[in-house]
Amino acid sequence: MDNTTQTVTRSARGRGGAPDTGAPPSARAQRRGPRKARSSQWAAWAFLAPVTIYLAVFYAYPLYKNLDLSLRDYTVMSFVHGGAPFAGFGNYRTVLHDPTFSPALLHTIVFTGACLLFQYGIGLALAVFFHQHFRLSATMRALFLVPWLLPLIVSASTWSWMLNSDSGVVNYGLHLLGIAPVDWLTSPHWSLISVIIANIWIGIPFNLVLLYSGLQAIPQGLHEAAALDGASAWQRFRRITFPLLRPVSAITLLLGLVYTLKVFDIIWIMTKGGPVDSSTTFATWSYRLGFGNLLPAFGPGAAVGNLLVVIALVFGLVYIRTQRRQAAA
Amino acid sequence: MTRPRAGARGRAKTAVGLLLTAVMLFPVYWMLNESLTRDQDMRKSPPSFFPLHGTLEGYRAVIDQQLPYLLSSLLVGLGTVALTLALSAPAGYALAKLRPRGAGALSFVLLVAQMIPGIIMAMGFYAVFLRAGMLNTLAGLVIADSTIAVPFGVLVFTAFMAGIPDELMQAAKTDGAGSLRTFWSIVLPLSRNAIVTVSLFTFLWAWSDFVFASTLDSGGTRQPITLGIYHYIGNNNQQWNAILATAVVASVPATVLLIVAQRYVAAGVTTGAVKD
């Protein structure tokens, strides 16, 4: 069997009549004419078929379903048996006029902005620090990954317990400093800050790893030259490291933005978006509408979700454009 | 003259580094410490910073109550790994080596797919699974969890397989191997690192998933460990020692991953975010 295919390909090549110029075989293969090219296209798409079908059935279809949900007036009955009336943008109107809308929007912006700022700032400082290569620095860098690898429910429960009003270790620490206990998770003033703190902790490793790999790409010689010219450490950071790190910073922040917008687990597990919506974002609001109540409101829930998709995709496209442009440069 | 100074400086930096690491990992230590603390000591002030009167009661509760959850998570994790590898390895091969028309469009779709929030996918899956009778099944959970990993998998395989020299594949072709044969006996064995990276992350993500579990499997008879912990918290019995013991056990895969496969982890984090 092997022998026959071998002969067939050999003779096919012979009949192709391409002058033997001693070119490498790949160059010869490309000149072999449309029939061969078409068959290699078939092979390529045969390998891609599973993932393409998968994308259509398990990405596109659920997303289409989600869109459909948001455009119809569903009840539990019609959800199970079908036949929900078309409602156009009714659900979107409901959501826009809901008293939860503006706080949810504000919290989403504050949560995303604060998390990005601190994750990036702390991540960058740590990356610069660990870039100095002292003893154990590689081991410590690996240990810094732990928060990012833990299941979110683990991090969220641990933080919930640490921030417990009566017996949490954080309030005990404040007590040692002479500060009155804070109702981290049960007071509407603090709940958003609490989930932001927990999420910053989780996001630092991601920023650290990306920025550290960016630092490694900066030629060491530049620093040495600047140091010889008498530039202080801070000047070297300001004038060399930070500007040269800009492409990596852009990627890190954009990717962080897309990831942070969709944070749901942490907030839901720690505060369920409460008390009284004080830590509700679009992601938790959407979940609560669809799944958090005894009487699900799938239509408005899907509408909120789709607004979130649009926001995420806008920044996602900016990210892809930035990455493409960097790859081309 | 500079040498001893550099040494002292290096030691100072190591000390600062250790301090920073300790601060960063304090929550993890606290979880461990409190999981070993007796129930009656959980709320005492000042809290004990070392489990001097340690107890394994919390872990006994894990063994008594959480084993089925852990088993479900294991099954879902392994199933998701199998599905993800089966879909993404061939796709990576095609995108890296076979130059299909429309490759750019497909890669673009995969990148975009990665950015869709899980909660939106969950709502769509809920509607689809309800009709298909797949709600509250582990198979449904495997499919949903794989959507987190497949785009990443294709990305990793494409990047890795693009680095395999074309000459190897050409040699196989000359020896009469078809694309399938080349893929199976040459490309796949060479892609061990990519397989390990994708499998590790996929397992970890499936193991950690809460969004899909809580929406698609909330009424199931077999539920993953994330729901086991969530029920614990929700039950209001406030058995924090048992909750945190379960959390420790649920962190085992992440810890093993970090110890066994450190270099794959950093590689996985940077893949797709920064070109190399």
Short mmCIF file of all heavy atoms in Angstrom, two decimals, chain A residues 243-283:
data_model
loop_
_atom_site.label_atom_id
_atom_site.label_comp_id
_atom_site.label_asym_id
_atom_site.label_seq_id
_atom_site.Cartn_x
_atom_site.Cartn_y
_atom_site.Cartn_z
N PRO A 243 9.23 53.82 27.79
CA PRO A 243 8.88 54.02 26.37
C PRO A 243 9.04 52.75 25.53
O PRO A 243 8.18 52.46 24.70
CB PRO A 243 9.89 55.09 25.91
CG PRO A 243 10.35 55.75 27.15
CD PRO A 243 10.28 54.75 28.24
N LEU A 244 10.10 51.98 25.80
CA LEU A 244 10.31 50.78 24.99
C LEU A 244 9.30 49.69 25.33
O LEU A 244 9.07 48.77 24.57
CB LEU A 244 11.73 50.25 25.18
CG LEU A 244 12.81 51.06 24.47
CD1 LEU A 244 14.18 50.52 24.80
CD2 LEU A 244 12.59 51.05 22.97
N LEU A 245 8.71 49.82 26.50
CA LEU A 245 7.75 48.81 26.94
C LEU A 245 6.34 49.14 26.44
O LEU A 245 5.41 48.38 26.65
CB LEU A 245 7.77 48.74 28.47
CG LEU A 245 7.35 47.44 29.14
CD1 LEU A 245 8.21 46.30 28.66
CD2 LEU A 245 7.42 47.58 30.65
N ARG A 246 6.21 50.28 25.77
CA ARG A 246 4.87 50.73 25.41
C ARG A 246 4.04 49.72 24.63
O ARG A 246 2.87 49.51 24.95
CB ARG A 246 4.93 52.06 24.66
CG ARG A 246 4.78 53.18 25.64
CD ARG A 246 4.00 54.42 25.27
NE ARG A 246 3.45 54.59 23.98
CZ ARG A 246 3.65 55.71 23.26
NH1 ARG A 246 4.42 56.65 23.71
NH2 ARG A 246 3.06 55.85 22.11
N PRO A 247 4.62 49.06 23.60
CA PRO A 247 3.80 48.08 22.87
C PRO A 247 3.27 46.97 23.78
O PRO A 247 2.09 46.63 23.72
CB PRO A 247 4.78 47.51 21.84
CG PRO A 247 5.87 48.51 21.73
CD PRO A 247 5.96 49.22 23.03
N VAL A 248 4.14 46.44 24.64
CA VAL A 248 3.71 45.38 25.55
C VAL A 248 2.69 45.91 26.55
O VAL A 248 1.71 45.25 26.89
CB VAL A 248 4.92 44.75 26.28
CG1 VAL A 248 4.47 43.66 27.23
CG2 VAL A 248 5.91 44.21 25.27
N SER A 249 2.91 47.14 27.02
CA SER A 249 1.95 47.74 27.94
C SER A 249 0.58 47.85 27.29
O SER A 249 -0.45 47.54 27.91
CB SER A 249 2.41 49.14 28.35
OG SER A 249 3.61 49.08 29.07
N ALA A 250 0.55 48.28 26.03
CA ALA A 250 -0.73 48.44 25.34
C ALA A 250 -1.46 47.10 25.27
O ALA A 250 -2.65 47.01 25.58
CB ALA A 250 -0.50 49.00 23.93
N ILE A 251 -0.72 46.06 24.88
CA ILE A 251 -1.32 44.73 24.78
C ILE A 251 -1.83 44.27 26.14
O ILE A 251 -2.95 43.78 26.28
CB ILE A 251 -0.26 43.74 24.24
CG1 ILE A 251 0.06 44.04 22.78
CG2 ILE A 251 -0.72 42.31 24.40
CD1 ILE A 251 -1.07 43.74 21.84
N THR A 252 -1.00 44.45 27.17
CA THR A 252 -1.38 44.00 28.51
C THR A 252 -2.65 44.70 28.98
O THR A 252 -3.58 44.07 29.50
CB THR A 252 -0.24 44.30 29.50
OG1 THR A 252 0.98 43.79 28.97
CG2 THR A 252 -0.52 43.67 30.85
N LEU A 253 -2.70 46.01 28.78
CA LEU A 253 -3.86 46.77 29.26
C LEU A 253 -5.12 46.42 28.47
O LEU A 253 -6.20 46.26 29.06
CB LEU A 253 -3.57 48.27 29.18
CG LEU A 253 -2.64 48.79 30.28
CD1 LEU A 253 -2.19 50.21 29.98
CD2 LEU A 253 -3.34 48.75 31.63
N LEU A 254 -4.98 46.29 27.16
CA LEU A 254 -6.17 46.00 26.36
C LEU A 254 -6.72 44.61 26.68
O LEU A 254 -7.92 44.42 26.85
CB LEU A 254 -5.83 46.08 24.86
CG LEU A 254 -5.80 47.50 24.30
CD1 LEU A 254 -5.18 47.51 22.92
CD2 LEU A 254 -7.21 48.06 24.24
N LEU A 255 -5.80 43.65 26.80
CA LEU A 255 -6.24 42.30 27.13
C LEU A 255 -6.83 42.27 28.53
O LEU A 255 -7.87 41.64 28.78
CB LEU A 255 -5.03 41.36 27.05
CG LEU A 255 -5.30 39.93 26.62
CD1 LEU A 255 -6.03 39.91 25.30
CD2 LEU A 255 -3.99 39.17 26.50
N GLY A 256 -6.20 43.00 29.46
CA GLY A 256 -6.72 43.10 30.82
C GLY A 256 -8.11 43.71 30.82
O GLY A 256 -8.99 43.27 31.55
N LEU A 257 -8.30 44.70 29.96
CA LEU A 257 -9.61 45.36 29.88
C LEU A 257 -10.69 44.36 29.46
O LEU A 257 -11.75 44.28 30.07
CB LEU A 257 -9.51 46.51 28.88
CG LEU A 257 -10.76 47.33 28.62
CD1 LEU A 257 -11.20 48.01 29.89
CD2 LEU A 257 -10.51 48.36 27.54
N VAL A 258 -10.37 43.60 28.40
CA VAL A 258 -11.37 42.64 27.92
C VAL A 258 -11.67 41.60 29.01
O VAL A 258 -12.82 41.22 29.22
CB VAL A 258 -10.87 41.96 26.63
CG1 VAL A 258 -11.83 40.88 26.18
CG2 VAL A 258 -10.71 43.00 25.53
N TYR A 259 -10.61 41.15 29.71
CA TYR A 259 -10.82 40.15 30.76
C TYR A 259 -11.58 40.73 31.95
O TYR A 259 -12.42 40.06 32.55
CB TYR A 259 -9.47 39.61 31.25
CG TYR A 259 -8.79 38.68 30.29
CD1 TYR A 259 -7.41 38.51 30.32
CD2 TYR A 259 -9.52 37.95 29.35
CE1 TYR A 259 -6.77 37.66 29.43
CE2 TYR A 259 -8.88 37.12 28.46
CZ TYR A 259 -7.51 36.97 28.50
OH TYR A 259 -6.88 36.13 27.62
N THR A 260 -11.25 41.98 32.33
CA THR A 260 -11.85 42.55 33.53
C THR A 260 -13.33 42.87 33.32
O THR A 260 -14.13 42.75 34.24
CB THR A 260 -11.08 43.81 33.95
OG1 THR A 260 -9.69 43.53 33.92
CG2 THR A 260 -11.46 44.25 35.35
N LEU A 261 -13.67 43.27 32.09
CA LEU A 261 -15.08 43.58 31.81
C LEU A 261 -15.97 42.39 32.11
O LEU A 261 -17.11 42.54 32.52
CB LEU A 261 -15.24 43.96 30.33
CG LEU A 261 -14.97 45.40 29.94
CD1 LEU A 261 -15.04 45.53 28.43
CD2 LEU A 261 -16.01 46.31 30.58
N LYS A 262 -15.44 41.19 31.88
CA LYS A 262 -16.32 40.02 32.04
C LYS A 262 -16.19 39.35 33.39
O LYS A 262 -16.74 38.29 33.60
CB LYS A 262 -16.09 39.04 30.90
CG LYS A 262 -14.68 38.52 30.73
CD LYS A 262 -14.67 37.58 29.53
CE LYS A 262 -13.32 36.93 29.32
NZ LYS A 262 -13.28 36.07 28.15
N VAL A 263 -15.48 39.97 34.32
CA VAL A 263 -15.35 39.36 35.65
C VAL A 263 -16.73 39.19 36.28
O VAL A 263 -17.50 40.15 36.38
CB VAL A 263 -14.47 40.22 36.58
CG1 VAL A 263 -14.61 39.75 38.01
CG2 VAL A 263 -13.02 40.13 36.14
N PHE A 264 -17.02 37.98 36.64
CA PHE A 264 -18.33 37.72 37.24
C PHE A 264 -18.17 36.93 38.54
O PHE A 264 -18.74 37.30 39.57
CB PHE A 264 -19.20 36.94 36.24
CG PHE A 264 -20.25 36.13 36.89
CD1 PHE A 264 -21.39 36.75 37.39
CD2 PHE A 264 -20.11 34.75 37.05
CE1 PHE A 264 -22.36 36.00 38.02
CE2 PHE A 264 -21.07 34.01 37.68
CZ PHE A 264 -22.21 34.64 38.17
N ASP A 265 -17.39 35.86 38.49
CA ASP A 265 -17.31 34.91 39.61
C ASP A 265 -17.00 35.60 40.94
O ASP A 265 -17.71 35.40 41.93
CB ASP A 265 -16.22 33.86 39.37
CG ASP A 265 -16.28 33.26 37.98
OD1 ASP A 265 -16.42 34.05 37.03
OD2 ASP A 265 -16.15 32.04 37.86
N ILE A 266 -15.92 36.40 40.91
CA ILE A 266 -15.44 37.02 42.14
C ILE A 266 -16.54 37.85 42.80
O ILE A 266 -16.84 37.70 43.99
CB ILE A 266 -14.24 37.94 41.80
CG1 ILE A 266 -13.01 37.09 41.55
CG2 ILE A 266 -13.96 38.92 42.89
CD1 ILE A 266 -12.50 36.46 42.79
N ILE A 267 -17.17 38.71 42.00
CA ILE A 267 -18.18 39.61 42.55
C ILE A 267 -19.38 38.82 43.03
O ILE A 267 -19.87 39.02 44.15
CB ILE A 267 -18.62 40.65 41.49
CG1 ILE A 267 -17.40 41.39 40.96
CG2 ILE A 267 -19.63 41.60 42.08
CD1 ILE A 267 -17.71 42.42 39.90
N TRP A 268 -19.81 37.87 42.21
CA TRP A 268 -21.02 37.14 42.58
C TRP A 268 -20.80 36.34 43.86
O TRP A 268 -21.64 36.31 44.76
CB TRP A 268 -21.46 36.21 41.44
CG TRP A 268 -22.76 35.56 41.73
CD1 TRP A 268 -22.96 34.29 42.16
CD2 TRP A 268 -24.05 36.17 41.64
NE1 TRP A 268 -24.30 34.06 42.34
CE2 TRP A 268 -24.99 35.20 42.03
CE3 TRP A 268 -24.49 37.44 41.26
CZ2 TRP A 268 -26.37 35.47 42.05
CZ3 TRP A 268 -25.85 37.70 41.28
CH2 TRP A 268 -26.77 36.72 41.67
N ILE A 269 -19.66 35.69 43.97
CA ILE A 269 -19.41 34.83 45.13
C ILE A 269 -19.21 35.68 46.39
O ILE A 269 -19.68 35.32 47.47
CB ILE A 269 -18.20 33.92 44.88
CG1 ILE A 269 -18.50 32.95 43.73
CG2 ILE A 269 -17.84 33.13 46.13
CD1 ILE A 269 -17.27 32.34 43.10
N MET A 270 -18.55 36.83 46.25
CA MET A 270 -18.27 37.62 47.44
C MET A 270 -19.46 38.45 47.90
O MET A 270 -19.73 38.56 49.10
CB MET A 270 -17.07 38.54 47.20
CG MET A 270 -15.73 37.80 47.23
SD MET A 270 -14.33 38.86 46.86
CE MET A 270 -14.24 39.85 48.35
N THR A 271 -20.19 39.07 46.98
CA THR A 271 -21.26 40.00 47.42
C THR A 271 -22.59 39.78 46.70
O THR A 271 -23.57 40.42 47.02
CB THR A 271 -20.85 41.46 47.14
OG1 THR A 271 -20.79 41.65 45.73
CG2 THR A 271 -19.52 41.79 47.77
N LYS A 272 -22.63 38.92 45.70
CA LYS A 272 -23.82 38.77 44.84
C LYS A 272 -24.24 40.11 44.24
O LYS A 272 -25.40 40.33 43.92
CB LYS A 272 -24.99 38.17 45.63
CG LYS A 272 -24.82 36.71 45.95
CD LYS A 272 -26.21 36.05 46.10
CE LYS A 272 -26.11 34.55 46.01
NZ LYS A 272 -25.30 33.94 47.08
N GLY A 273 -23.30 41.04 44.10
CA GLY A 273 -23.61 42.35 43.53
C GLY A 273 -24.18 43.33 44.55
O GLY A 273 -24.42 44.48 44.24
N GLY A 274 -24.39 42.86 45.76
CA GLY A 274 -25.03 43.69 46.78
C GLY A 274 -24.01 44.32 47.70
O GLY A 274 -22.83 44.33 47.39
N PRO A 275 -24.41 44.82 48.85
CA PRO A 275 -25.81 45.03 49.22
C PRO A 275 -26.45 46.16 48.40
O PRO A 275 -25.77 47.11 48.05
CB PRO A 275 -25.73 45.41 50.69
CG PRO A 275 -24.33 45.82 50.92
CD PRO A 275 -23.48 45.17 49.91
N VAL A 276 -27.74 46.00 48.14
CA VAL A 276 -28.54 46.88 47.27
C VAL A 276 -27.78 47.39 46.05
O VAL A 276 -27.57 48.58 45.89
CB VAL A 276 -29.16 48.08 48.03
CG1 VAL A 276 -30.36 47.62 48.82
CG2 VAL A 276 -28.16 48.78 48.94
N ASP A 277 -27.33 46.47 45.22
CA ASP A 277 -26.71 46.80 43.94
C ASP A 277 -25.40 47.58 44.05
O ASP A 277 -24.89 48.07 43.06
CB ASP A 277 -27.67 47.63 43.05
CG ASP A 277 -28.73 46.76 42.43
OD1 ASP A 277 -28.55 45.52 42.44
OD2 ASP A 277 -29.75 47.30 41.96
N SER A 278 -24.84 47.68 45.26
CA SER A 278 -23.67 48.55 45.42
C SER A 278 -22.43 47.98 44.74
O SER A 278 -21.44 48.69 44.57
CB SER A 278 -23.38 48.80 46.89
OG SER A 278 -23.16 47.57 47.54
N SER A 279 -22.43 46.70 44.39
CA SER A 279 -21.28 46.18 43.63
C SER A 279 -21.75 45.45 42.37
O SER A 279 -21.08 44.58 41.85
CB SER A 279 -20.44 45.25 44.51
OG SER A 279 -21.23 44.24 45.07
N THR A 280 -22.93 45.83 41.88
CA THR A 280 -23.47 45.21 40.66
C THR A 280 -22.77 45.77 39.42
O THR A 280 -22.68 46.98 39.26
CB THR A 280 -24.98 45.49 40.56
OG1 THR A 280 -25.65 44.80 41.62
CG2 THR A 280 -25.53 44.99 39.23
N THR A 281 -22.26 44.87 38.57
CA THR A 281 -21.74 45.29 37.27
C THR A 281 -22.65 44.68 36.20
O THR A 281 -23.57 43.92 36.54
CB THR A 281 -20.31 44.79 37.06
OG1 THR A 281 -20.33 43.36 37.08
CG2 THR A 281 -19.37 45.29 38.14
N PHE A 282 -22.36 44.97 34.95
CA PHE A 282 -23.18 44.39 33.88
C PHE A 282 -23.17 42.86 33.95
O PHE A 282 -24.19 42.22 33.75
CB PHE A 282 -22.69 44.86 32.51
CG PHE A 282 -23.25 46.18 32.11
CD1 PHE A 282 -22.77 46.86 31.00
CD2 PHE A 282 -24.30 46.75 32.83
CE1 PHE A 282 -23.30 48.08 30.61
CE2 PHE A 282 -24.83 47.97 32.46
CZ PHE A 282 -24.32 48.64 31.34
N ALA A 283 -21.99 42.30 34.23
CA ALA A 283 -21.89 40.84 34.24
C ALA A 283 -22.76 40.23 35.34
O ALA A 283 -23.51 39.28 35.09
CB ALA A 283 -20.44 40.41 34.41
#
